[in-house]
Amino acid sequence: MKNEEVRILLGNVAIARGIIESGCHVVTSYPGTPSSEIIPAVVSFKKELGLDTYIEWSTNEKVAFDNALAASLTGKRAAVAMKQVGLNVASDSLMSSAYTGVVGGLVVISCDDPGPHSSQTEQDSRFYAMFAKIPVFDPSTPQEAKEMVKAAFELSEEFQIPVLLRPTIRVSHGKQNVKLEPPRILDRPADFVKDPARWAATPRFRLILHTKLNEILSKIQEKFEKDTRWNVEVGSPRNYTLGIITCSSSFVAILDLLEEFGLNEDISLLKIGTPYPLPKKKIAEYIKRHDKVLVIEEPDSVIELLINDKSKVLGRLSGHVPLQGELSPEVLYGILSQLLSDLGIAKLEMISDPELEKLVEDLDLPVRRPTLCAGCPERAAFFAIKKAFPKGIYPSDIGCYTLGLNLGAVDTVLDMGAGITFASGFYQAYHQDGNDIPIISTMGDSTFYHSGTSSLLNAVYNNARFILVILDNEITAMTGMQPTPGIGITADGSEGQSIPLEELIRGCGIQWLRTIDPYDVKELLSLLKEAREYTQKEDGGIAVIVARHPCLIRYPDVCQEKPVKVTITEECNGCMYCVDFFECPALKPDKEEDLVRIDRTLCTDCGVCVQVCPREAIVPAETKGKNS
Amino acid sequence: MIKTQIILAGIGGQGILFASRIFSELGLKLGLNVLGSETHGMSQRGGSVLSHLKLGNFHSPLIHTGAADILYSFAEEETYRSLKFLRNGGVCFVNLENSKRFDPAILSHLKGKKVGFRTFDANEAAAQIGFARSTNIVLIGYSVGTGLIPFVYDDIKSALESVSRKKELEVNLKAFEIGFLKGKS
């Protein structure tokens, strides 16, 4: 490697680089925005540097956590990465591992999503650090995230405790010029030292472990009190009217705003990089020097809650900071300009242009909602489901197919796995009153491998009846095309063992199982009716349809095997049925002509819409040739 | 010392991340600090895509409203949505079939803010050379040709060369050249 090599790295790639530079041996993860880019980047650095790092896409976050923890117990360094709601899934292991501790360094990376941009909650992972009683590092930039990964490994080994790294989405998906350093090579053959009182501790021993954990935590707190690398005061104000305690992406955004408005000499910043255990003395001393102190952190308040004397503190509790939503530079500007004006420090120049915003608002631009891609096989499946059972209940799940919402074929999205548990739950609630309504659950292949089996086992065991359509596009698509156990390719591209969905489904006790290509809408419609009959038969049960067609973003060549170029004939009367109920982005309403047109730049020649048009006005191109 | 803030706006699939990579690489070559922010995940599925890029001494990757020096917009609707980012006296380059279609009230408002407003049918120019997907590069080439941005031909060309995949290099350079010539004329 060149000396002083600098590359532009995405925050998640910088985190991956930190993992590699720390000499980490084992890296596991389940994909989820905003964490998904970490594993592919570890794979790419491993290949570039010729390392033998073991890397896996695990089937879910808890599984990923346990596999990394076991590696740590053998003395190796291990890292596990996930999105914030993934930590909910892994939380059982996290809580317990705080007590048992680790041997080799274990760094848990949980990426938060204030906004939220791509998540079901705005939860703050730092609460998990507090809840589990483990230390947390909170980076503000990609460069700092890389350095913090290395510090986290050191801390984890010094105190034999798992350490959390909590990047927010603006760090994970921010990019920056980052200095690269060579990887550490740590020769650590696996050596698990048996110690049942620790690794298999019964409740009596757990009390001892808890006592030790509390001792460790107070030592770490002392260490953080003295630390000047992550917890640092910025600026040398002329007066102490207002101070700001802040962290993560908010810290750098505030820094830019203060520089832009020339306020560096009026306001000092205390940047906290280790919010738990909180360096309370340092903070108390900082607050003492100021008339007022504003606490800015996201997505929730951890530092503010942990400050003992809040008499001078302004933040969420005092109503100065919004309780939800991302702290964008505009929101931060709003908080600052109001406060600076109230305190008589400064009047900030306006950054927005209300006149322009009003002009744009008056244009009444259509909202651009996310949508399934043109040609997506999942759209075809949703269309058929909605058509077959217009009055059904449609529990669904997390993935691209959440966007079946747009076709009115998704009623619920709770968390990974609830597509099936909601189906059984709905069934039992209606069945109790003697009512039978069609319940059609949809779930993607990766989600099914993640948490579908336990839900399905439960449903079969307890005699639930519904239709489950597994949308198998042979990839984890939404998060960026990660492989699944179904295709049996592992994280670094090497071959693993494929576990076919059908075997797994049968193993859950399912007797009625069919596989179909959803592009064949007519066949799928008749299969759905057959499935419904089976759920109503005396000796029937749960019917499962695997709707299999590869994702056409991931496998473009496969999808164009049998292209059907379509065209719209004069039969089109502009009824907009296809636009409203099929919702393909390549079918565009032409309002002037009162017709529908095909956007050739988007159309993938899947030909599914031929089966959709009630007037048969969408036809394969050659058919038109014959007619005209 | 150069301090430049660039917003790139469009919709998923228009190559905005690649366009942003050209400017990141440019920053690296010029020895500037580079900070940027990207859109991933659900928001990528046909939704609006916005890329922030800051070259020079900044700390945060995000650009606030009224601060961008340059706006590249690859889709008409997204132009309206992202104009708020542009500062007074900033410059914007809009990929637009027909410049007459642009809202006149907004156009005159921008004039009042001394915004340099340039529209150019980059789709058409890209299609002419047979590579519809290189609209992004055509528009960047165009902006260099106008001389309205603080970066020169050689630097951007060399950044483009560095980030292009081998098999796409020739096409990319051609797209850049076409755009550049249109911008100059």
Side-chain angles (χ1 to χ4, degrees):
Chain A
M1 201 180 84
K2 285 173 274 176
N3 281 336
E4 280 289 301
E5 190 185 347
V6 174
R7 285 189 205 170
I8 308 281
L9 301 186
L10 195 67
N12 280 342
V13 179
I15 288 168
R17 183 71 194 190
I19 291 171
I20 288 289
E21 288 180 8
S22 304
C24 181
H25 305 88
V26 170
V27 191
T28 64
S29 178
Y30 183 81
T33 311
S35 73
S36 312
E37 300 81 11
I38 297 173
I39 284 277
V42 175
V43 169
S44 132
F45 285 126
K46 165 194 166 156
K47 288 183 176 166
E48 180 186 332
L49 297 161
L51 304 171
D52 65 353
T53 323
Y54 173 75
I55 308 160
E56 76 169 37
W57 281 125
S58 311
T59 46
N60 68 38
E61 294 85 354
K62 183 224 177 322
V63 169
F65 191 102
D66 294 356
N67 275 281
L69 179 59
S72 150
L73 263 48
T74 72
K76 291 176 189 272
R77 286 192 164 183
V80 53
M82 62 200 74
K83 68 179 297 175
Q84 92 286 37
V85 292
L87 195 55
N88 297 336
V89 178
S91 60
D92 203 4
S93 304
L94 175 77
M95 303 297 290
S96 184
S97 69
Y99 279 42
T100 59
V102 305
V103 180
L106 177 70
V107 177
V108 182
I109 300 153
S110 177
C111 302
D112 280 359
D113 184 11
H117 294 264
S118 207
S119 303
Q120 59 267 44
T121 68
E122 288 194 293
Q123 66 189 67
D124 193 321
S125 296
R126 297 174 304 162
F127 279 123
Y128 265 117
M130 198 161 100
F131 193 17
K133 297 188 167 181
I134 61 164
V136 53
F137 284 90
D138 192 0
S140 57
T141 61
Q143 174 77 50
E144 190 180 38
K146 177 171 87 86
E147 300 313 318
M148 279 186 170
V149 169
K150 294 157 87 169
F153 273 112
E154 297 299 328
L155 189 75
S156 173
E157 287 184 355
E158 184 182 347
F159 293 97
Q160 300 219 329
I161 190 170
V163 176
L164 188 70
L165 180 85
R166 187 294 293 250
T168 57
I169 191 166
R170 296 302 179 180
V171 174
S172 282
H173 289 167
K175 55 182 180 181
Q176 187 182 26
N177 45 321
V178 174
K179 281 195 196 102
L180 304 193
E181 279 161 64
R184 268 183 82 177
I185 307 294
L186 295 173
D187 185 24
R188 295 208 191 153
D191 182 17
F192 172 62
V193 181
K194 295 189 185 195
D195 182 1
R198 189 174 170 196
W199 307 127
T202 52
R204 191 163 63 86
F205 287 99
R206 287 277 165 173
L207 179 63
I208 299 168
L209 291 175
H210 191 185
T211 309
K212 278 190 184 159
L213 173 60
N214 286 328
E215 286 165 12
I216 288 175
L217 213 53
S218 82
K219 280 184 195 153
I220 295 175
Q221 182 166 9
E222 276 313 304
K223 197 180 167 83
F224 286 169
E225 291 284 5
K226 289 187 209 109
D227 167 83
T228 51
R229 189 172 180 202
W230 315 119
N231 303 317
V232 48
E233 231 174 286
V234 181
S236 44
R238 292 169 299 193
N239 58 66
Y240 292 93
T241 318
L242 178 68
I244 302 175
I245 299 175
T246 181
C247 58
S248 68
S249 10
S250 309
F251 163 65
V252 283
I254 293 175
L255 207 52
D256 269 351
L257 285 171
L258 295 189
E259 284 187 7
E260 181 182 341
F261 291 101
L263 293 164
N264 314 49
E265 291 186 344
D266 295 296
I267 297 160
S268 75
L269 294 180
L270 174 60
K271 181 255 195 186
I272 296 294
T274 62
Y276 191 81
L278 189 68
K280 287 188 172 186
K281 285 182 218 152
K282 190 174 200 137
I283 286 181
E285 191 276 320
Y286 178 83
I287 294 176
K288 209 173 148 192
R289 277 186 278 130
H290 293 83
D291 298 343
K292 290 280 177 203
V293 169
L294 176 67
V295 182
I296 300 271
E297 54 188 324
E298 69 177 351
D300 219 314
S301 297
V302 170
I303 297 174
E304 188 181 353
L305 287 175
L306 288 172
I307 293 173
N308 292 339
D309 180 0
K310 297 185 179 67
S311 54
K312 291 184 187 176
V313 173
L314 310 172
R316 283 200 179 83
L317 297 176
S318 67
H320 287 83
V321 177
L323 294 169
Q324 62 282 312
E326 187 176 19
L327 296 179
S328 65
E330 291 80 11
V331 172
L332 292 171
Y333 165 86
I335 298 169
L336 278 179
S337 64
Q338 182 66 49
L339 192 58
L340 292 175
S341 155
D342 290 351
L343 296 175
I345 298 175
K347 281 247 181 265
L348 301 191
E349 190 186 316
M350 230 169 51
I351 58 168
S352 62
D353 178 350
E355 200 184 324
L356 174 67
E357 281 171 29
K358 176 78 177 49
L359 287 170
V360 172
E361 201 187 304
D362 289 347
L363 293 177
D364 208 12
L365 298 173
V367 179
R368 203 182 279 281
R369 62 183 183 184
T371 174
L372 294 167
C373 305
C376 177
E378 293 172 357
R379 171 178 290 105
F382 281 122
F383 175 78
I385 290 168
K386 179 82 184 176
K387 191 164 182 187
F389 308 107
K391 292 195 172 143
I393 297 180
Y394 318 116
S396 189
D397 223 294
I398 312 271
C400 288
Y401 54 98
T402 299
L403 299 172
L405 274 168
N406 297 353
L407 285 93
V410 168
D411 288 327
T412 64
V413 178
L414 182 76
D415 64 6
M416 296 285 281
I420 296 176
T421 42
F422 264 33
S424 57
F426 280 133
Y427 170 80
Q428 304 294 10
Y430 278 91
H431 180 66
Q432 190 170 38
D433 311 335
N435 290 326
D436 168 46
I437 51 159
I439 299 167
I440 307 90
S441 164
T442 45
M443 185 179 280
D445 48 334
S446 185
T447 309
F448 187 74
Y449 287 111
H450 179 284
S451 49
T453 47
S454 52
S455 316
L456 190 55
L457 279 172
N458 173 71
V460 172
Y461 166 51
N462 289 297
N463 299 317
R465 292 185 176 209
F466 55 87
I467 302 169
L468 167 64
V469 180
I470 299 190
L471 304 161
D472 181 9
N473 58 3
E474 304 184 337
I475 205 74
T476 317
M478 175 63 90
T479 50
M481 309 300 162
Q482 295 80 14
T484 67
I487 57 169
I489 303 291
T490 67
D492 64 2
S494 61
E495 211 162 302
Q497 183 160 337
S498 153
I499 303 124
L501 267 180
E502 284 85 345
E503 285 182 24
L504 202 54
I505 293 162
R506 284 214 173 82
C508 290
I510 294 294
Q511 307 288 328
W512 195 100
L513 171 66
R514 305 285 186 275
T515 299
I516 187 177
D517 183 337
Y519 270 18
D520 192 342
V521 172
K522 278 188 189 128
E523 188 58 33
L524 178 55
L525 276 169
S526 77
L527 210 52
L528 282 164
K529 286 192 179 121
E530 209 184 300
R532 172 73 177 144
E533 280 162 22
Y534 176 75
T535 64
Q536 292 173 304
K537 265 167 61 176
E538 202 176 330
D539 58 345
I542 297 168
V544 180
I545 297 172
V546 174
R548 178 174 293 135
H549 191 103
C551 168
L552 74 174
I553 301 289
R554 176 63 183 84
Y555 308 101
D557 301 338
V558 180
C559 293
Q560 284 163 358
E561 259 174 17
K562 284 180 265 173
V564 183
K565 204 164 255 333
V566 298
T567 184
I568 296 180
T569 67
E570 303 79 43
E571 285 299 308
C572 177
N573 66 350
C575 74
M576 299 297 153
Y577 179 85
C578 61
V579 173
D580 295 337
F581 296 96
F582 191 57
E583 200 250 352
C584 176
L587 292 167
K588 293 247 166 91
D590 183 333
K591 285 185 189 125
E592 280 157 33
E593 301 271 333
D594 198 21
L595 289 174
V596 173
R597 296 197 184 281
I598 292 160
D599 183 339
R600 292 277 168 218
T601 60
L602 293 175
C603 181
T604 61
D605 301 335
C606 74
V608 175
C609 54
V610 173
Q611 304 168 73
V612 168
C613 177
R615 296 178 60 88
E616 297 182 1
I618 309 178
V619 295
E622 56 267 35
T623 314
K624 191 195 175 196
K626 276 178 213 160
N627 289 349
S628 53
Chain B
M1 201 63 192
I2 291 180
K3 272 186 102 170
T4 303
Q5 309 193 57
I6 306 168
I7 292 272
L8 299 129
I11 49 178
Q14 287 190 312
I16 291 180
L17 290 190
F18 184 78
S20 150
R21 280 184 60 207
I22 299 173
F23 286 103
S24 318
E25 185 65 25
L26 173 75
L28 202 60
K29 281 186 192 297
L30 296 176
L32 300 169
N33 282 331
V34 178
L35 279 163
S37 185
E38 296 179 356
T39 312
H40 291 236
M42 183 174 269
S43 32
Q44 262 186 316
R45 294 279 173 271
S48 311
V49 175
L50 201 63
S51 181
H52 298 232
L53 199 77
K54 292 158 93 170
L55 304 180
N57 281 332
F58 294 100
H59 306 281
S60 161
L62 295 180
I63 299 171
H64 67 71
T65 34
D69 302 291
I70 308 170
L71 165 68
Y72 288 97
S73 176
F74 299 93
E76 184 181 359
E77 267 176 36
E78 298 314 308
T79 315
Y80 295 122
R81 277 188 242 274
S82 51
L83 273 171
K84 62 179 180 198
F85 285 104
L86 212 51
R87 68 167 167 81
N88 291 353
V91 50
C92 79
F93 302 97
V94 182
N95 173 30
L96 195 65
E97 265 170 55
N98 178 0
S99 60
K100 285 182 194 133
R101 216 170 62 188
F102 204 81
D103 187 77
I106 292 179
L107 209 55
S108 101
H109 182 79
L110 292 177
K111 220 171 185 179
K113 292 176 75 174
K114 300 206 162 28
V115 164
F117 183 85
R118 296 296 177 97
T119 65
F120 169 54
D121 192 349
N123 284 351
E124 167 69 19
Q128 267 177 18
I129 56 167
F131 302 103
R133 288 186 58 191
S134 56
T135 306
N136 51 353
I137 303 170
V138 173
L139 190 66
I140 291 174
Y142 173 83
S143 72
V144 181
T146 63
L148 292 171
I149 63 167
F151 306 110
V152 297
Y153 176 91
D154 287 343
D155 289 341
I156 296 211
K157 189 179 167 192
S158 137
L160 174 62
E161 281 170 348
S162 304
V163 296
S164 294
R165 273 186 281 183
K166 248 188 201 148
K167 57 175 185 180
E168 284 155 9
L169 180 62
E170 198 185 324
V171 173
N172 290 352
L173 288 177
K174 203 165 166 187
F176 180 69
E177 203 63 38
I178 290 278
F180 178 76
L181 292 174
K182 295 269 185 194
K184 262 187 102 170
S185 62

